[in-house]
Amino acid sequence: MPRIRVHAKPGSRTEGVVLRGDGVWVVRVRPPAVDGRANERIREVIAEFLDCRRTEVTLVSGPAGRLKTFEIPRLPA
């Protein structure tokens, strides 16, 4: 399964995904980084971006940091 590196931006005013030139996805979410709320919303935003189910997006490393790795079912063409 493909993996993506994500730079998390919790507590942002707007939500969305920006693909940087170095291959890192910058994901902005509104919830703060408290009790895993930001991580859960990041999963949802990635799933919406890829048009897949939230359950298909799995956090594999970095739950407490800003740099995270997610496993996903497929990458967009």
Side-chain angles (χ1 to χ4, degrees):
M1 228 182 249
R3 290 184 176 198
I4 59 170
R5 290 178 37 140
V6 171
H7 182 113
K9 298 273 190 164
S12 296
R13 282 192 206 173
T14 60
E15 292 189 330
V17 176
V18 175
L19 305 176
R20 288 192 332 207
D22 61 358
V24 174
W25 296 29
V26 177
V27 181
R28 297 176 190 279
V29 294
R30 287 190 182 113
V34 177
D35 296 330
R37 289 186 289 173
N39 286 339
E40 187 58 32
R41 184 61 187 145
I42 289 168
R43 286 179 63 208
E44 292 170 359
V45 169
I46 292 170
E48 290 168 12
F49 184 76
L50 296 174
D51 194 29
C52 66
R53 287 177 293 211
R54 176 181 49 87
T55 57
E56 294 178 304
V57 179
T58 306
L59 177 63
V60 293
S61 71
R66 294 212 185 236
L67 191 58
K68 304 172 183 301
T69 303
F70 284 88
E71 203 168 67
I72 54 175
R74 65 192 180 286
L75 289 174

